[in-house]
Amino acid sequence: MTNNVLVLPGDGIGPEIVAQAVKVLELVNSQDNLDLSIDEALLGGAAIDATGGPLPEETMAKAKACDAILLGAVGGPKWESLDMAIRPERGLLGIRSELGLFGNLRPAMLYSQLADASSLKADLVSGLDILIVRELTGGIYFGQPRGIRTLENGERQGYNTYVYSESEIVRIGRLAFESAMKRGKRLCSVDKANVLEVTELWREIMEDLSKEYPEVELSHMYVDNAAMQLIRAPKQFDVIVTGNMFGDILSDAAAMLTGSIGMLPSASLDKNGKGMYEPCHGSAPDIAGQGIANPLATILSVAMMLRYTFGFGETADRIENAVSSVLDQGYRTGDIYTDGMKKASTGEMGEAVLTALRA
Ligand code: IPM
Ligand code: MG
């Protein structure tokens, strides 16, 4: 059976980093006989330029038909003045929602070689290994009604709706408890239950679910405190589960603890294990086209894809070990560079990983 992978390079540094990740995918495909077939399509600003919209029908059809998607990043200043409904980001949100990719896994782990690249003191972050489980297809990102309206007094008002139904909370909760079972068995649910009813329900449902997972120690934290604790004492966390918007914010903060968001992969899963895999970082238009972006988050996203969607855990381990080995050898892109290391371009970093995989 062929394993179909769809590649969506996207915008900004997306095409540069994805090119390196695809080389890795092609190499392990032939080395380990994975039967992967790789196709490509347009998403985001690249799709707007070519077709007028961020999520062309052809891309959606391919996304539905494939088994897993590898995405670069979308967006950039070129498209920022467009109407919200046709911006590049809308293409990404459209795929997440259409494919039902509700479960977003964002690991934040520190490679010991990079302890000095973190903006926090090395002892606060050394050994850091957190998993953020972010709900990805609901909450305020998708709630209706939404828009900008004009009130009777002529003043304009922007509005969005923060909603979560019980079933949405249960399914993300289960994914989080299952994830905690495979790790340190500690789950912290992050909400704002002191103010928002929607998260009062969230908290209640997490409590109910915890009865099914007696081995997992469940705790709750308000999101403002969670933001503070992530910076104060990040190693207290094992798995964090939270809604779409809080997860968006906290995962960027958690990423930075590891020295660079350029190191962090992510998986967005549906209920059957189909997934979209992408680096946690964005399209970084400020450095696009210069060949200096860090491709490791995207390469690590390939590892997550092979593990979660295809069950090729050994190949995933090989890729992760190869990344660790290039860090041991001192290769560093600009974002993780510290004195005395070998400054590498995007392409050199990719090549170093390929060499490690061939060794
Ligand atoms: C992310 C990004 C997206 C989000 C944007 C690009 C729509 O920030 O994946 O974290 O907010 O979900
Ligand atoms: Mg984000």
Side-chain angles (χ1 to χ4, degrees):
M1 201 188 74
T2 310
N3 297 307
N4 294 301
V5 177
L6 178 66
V7 175
L8 303 171
D11 310 318
I13 59 170
E16 301 164 48
I17 53 177
V18 161
Q20 303 308 317
V22 167
K23 281 195 223 161
V24 167
L25 198 55
E26 281 168 346
L27 176 64
V28 296
N29 187 25
S30 65
Q31 284 180 325
D32 299 358
N33 298 315
L34 306 182
D35 261 327
L36 300 173
S37 126
I38 305 171
D39 194 5
E40 198 176 303
L42 292 170
L43 180 75
I48 295 174
D49 291 348
T51 71
L55 180 51
E57 264 173 42
E58 187 192 336
T59 300
M60 200 58 239
K62 285 182 173 183
K64 282 186 174 152
C66 72
D67 302 304
I69 299 171
L70 180 67
L71 171 71
V74 296
K78 182 174 175 195
W79 306 281
E80 257 160 30
S81 57
L82 292 176
D83 193 76
M84 185 86 95
I86 56 158
R87 279 208 210 145
E89 289 78 2
R90 210 33 93 77
L92 176 59
L93 296 174
I95 290 207
R96 287 175 180 171
S97 161
E98 282 274 316
L99 297 185
L101 305 174
F102 70 91
N104 186 207
L105 306 181
R106 297 192 163 183
M109 64 167 274
L110 183 80
Y111 283 84
S112 54
Q113 302 93 324
L114 300 182
D116 290 331
S118 174
S119 44
L120 294 197
K121 292 194 197 86
D123 64 308
L124 274 187
V125 291
S126 72
L128 183 87
D129 183 3
I130 302 176
L131 176 67
I132 297 190
V133 179
R134 169 189 176 195
E135 200 291 327
L136 203 60
T137 52
I140 198 165
Y141 270 49
F142 292 94
Q144 294 288 348
R146 62 189 295 159
I148 300 172
R149 60 193 163 204
T150 305
L151 301 174
E152 267 170 31
N153 67 4
E155 191 188 8
R156 283 183 309 153
Q157 184 183 59
Y159 58 102
N160 289 87
T161 306
Y162 191 179
V163 278
Y164 268 120
S165 59
E166 222 170 330
S167 56
E168 287 176 306
I169 303 172
V170 168
R171 70 179 181 182
I172 193 70
R174 270 193 215 289
L175 179 64
F177 277 101
E178 298 287 345
S179 304
M181 284 298 288
K182 293 183 199 139
R183 298 172 40 106
K185 300 200 170 77
R186 285 183 302 116
L187 176 62
C188 179
S189 171
V190 171
D191 61 38
K192 190 72 184 172
N194 51 343
V195 179
L196 304 172
E197 287 82 352
V198 43
T199 65
E200 194 185 335
L201 179 67
W202 175 286
R203 188 176 280 222
E204 199 184 303
I205 290 173
M206 291 297 160
E207 274 300 318
D208 287 350
L209 272 177
S210 77
K211 296 182 189 111
E212 292 175 35
Y213 300 88
E215 284 178 54
V216 176
E217 182 196 311
L218 173 70
S219 61
H220 304 276
M221 203 179 271
Y222 297 139
V223 63
D224 49 350
N225 186 27
M228 181 175 81
Q229 296 299 334
L230 271 175
I231 311 301
R232 193 187 74 87
K235 283 191 270 182
Q236 70 185 282
F237 296 105
D238 175 22
V239 180
I240 292 176
V241 63
T242 191
N244 205 341
M245 184 164 67
F246 295 163
D248 178 44
I249 299 166
L250 294 181
S251 62
D252 266 31
M256 207 52 224
L257 303 173
T258 69
S260 171
I261 196 168
M263 292 299 300
L264 298 183
S266 76
S268 307
L269 304 171
D270 79 355
K271 60 182 192 313
N272 303 314
K274 174 168 178 165
M276 180 155 80
Y277 298 83
E278 53 179 309
C280 280
H281 60 72
S283 59
D286 53 322
I287 58 163
Q290 297 176 35
I292 58 172
N294 185 348
L296 294 180
T298 317
I299 290 172
L300 291 166
S301 298
V302 167
M304 282 189 104
M305 169 192 290
L306 296 177
R307 178 175 295 121
Y308 285 99
T309 292
F310 298 120
F312 296 135
E314 281 176 23
T315 306
D317 289 346
R318 290 211 306 119
I319 294 174
E320 286 162 357
N321 291 337
V323 167
S324 193
S325 139
V326 306
L327 295 176
D328 283 338
Q329 294 164 51
Y331 289 103
R332 301 284 188 275
T333 41
D335 56 316
I336 51 175
Y337 182 79
T338 45
D339 279 347
M341 294 293 134
K342 298 178 200 155
K343 189 70 135 313
S345 67
T346 309
E348 285 161 352
M349 195 59 128
E351 279 305 318
V353 174
L354 294 177
T355 305
L357 280 167
R358 287 195 194 101

